[in-house]
Amino acid sequence: MRIVVAEDLYLLRDGMVRLIEAYGHEVVATATTGPETLAALLKWRPDVAVVDVRMPPTQSDEGLRAALAARREVPGLPVLILSQHVEQLYARELLADGAGGIGYFLKESVFDADQFMDALERVAAGGTAMDPAVIAKLFSSGSSNRLLEALTEREHAVLSLMAEGLSNAAIGQRLFLSESAISKYTTSMFGKLGISDDDTGNRRVLAVLTYLNNP
């Protein structure tokens, strides 16, 4: 894969570059500010980008905004966002176009090399990869959503793992169920969430978006 890494902290940026290259992928560009990130994403149009939320010059959300701007110019451009904190708004903004190819990971997760690289590859393939800590935080918010309330406890569990980006086979392994059983749960869940076969977007992404839009 051709990858752009946007991170202003030298040690973390250098560590990710070394890790990515150790797995046989190519880092085509690095960036240390929001404007540099946008320029690099539009120039290189990588297979996937790793982008820090907070970057210079203001250390607010320049990285996130650069990623959103790049996806407006290049629809579906795969981006894995890194953050130090769980920010539900960021995850929702990124998934709003329903195009997939989006991940949201906490920086501490980078230190689990296999988990990080697996997430990067799933995002590059057009899927989603949400940090389990992000999912846990959203589930513990105590909020409610009429559509989500219609799901059974098992369907909630399936949707939570789907938000992490797991396939039906991987979800089945986590829940000790067959892949066909997970397929039945997902079909039922899509129906309850009002996501039909006719939807042009990725049904799994749309389901995750409904999940993250839980007010």
Side-chain angles (χ1 to χ4, degrees), residues 28 51 126 137 193 200:
V28 294
V51 179
K137 179 69 176 293
L193 296 178
T200 55

Side-chain angles (χ1 to χ4, degrees), residues 20-193:
I20 289 168
E21 291 178 342
Y23 274 72
H25 303 298
E26 178 187 7
V27 176
V28 294
T30 61
T32 60
T33 70
E36 285 182 10
T37 300
L38 178 57
L41 295 179
L42 295 181
K43 175 182 178 180
W44 293 98
R45 302 194 176 204
D47 297 318
V48 61
V50 184
V51 179
D52 182 17
V53 170
R54 298 179 187 276
M55 300 184 75
T58 66
Q59 292 290 356
S60 56
D61 59 358
E62 285 89 342
L64 174 72
R65 295 193 179 284
L68 292 172
R71 280 174 63 91
R72 285 194 290 272
E73 294 292 326
V74 186
L77 177 71
V79 177
L80 176 63
I81 288 289
L82 292 181
S83 177
Q84 286 185 309
H85 308 288
V86 176
E87 295 282 357
Q88 183 174 352
L89 176 62
Y90 292 163
R92 188 169 60 239
E93 282 191 62
L94 286 163
L95 281 166
D97 60 11
I102 283 295
Y104 185 98
F105 257 53
L106 299 183
K107 287 189 174 181
E108 61 191 36
S109 299
V110 174
F111 298 106
D112 185 329
D114 289 338
Q115 181 184 18
F116 174 68
M117 292 307 303
D118 179 63
L120 202 55
E121 290 170 0
R122 279 188 276 123
V123 171
T128 59
M130 295 294 164
D131 193 306
V134 175
I135 300 304
K137 179 69 176 293
L138 298 182
F139 243 158
S140 64
S141 64
S143 55
S144 63
N145 177 292
R146 182 178 57 81
L147 293 176
L148 294 179
E149 287 175 348
L151 303 184
T152 65
E153 183 177 349
R154 182 66 80 184
E155 289 166 346
H156 266 285
V158 171
L159 181 55
S160 175
L161 294 173
M162 184 182 293
E164 291 182 28
L166 300 186
S167 65
N168 281 0
I171 293 172
Q173 291 177 354
R174 288 274 193 95
L175 299 180
F176 302 103
L177 295 171
S178 67
E179 186 174 352
S180 61
I182 298 302
S183 180
K184 290 179 182 177
Y185 281 121
T186 57
T187 299
S188 172
M189 182 179 64
F190 288 148
K192 291 179 180 178
L193 296 178

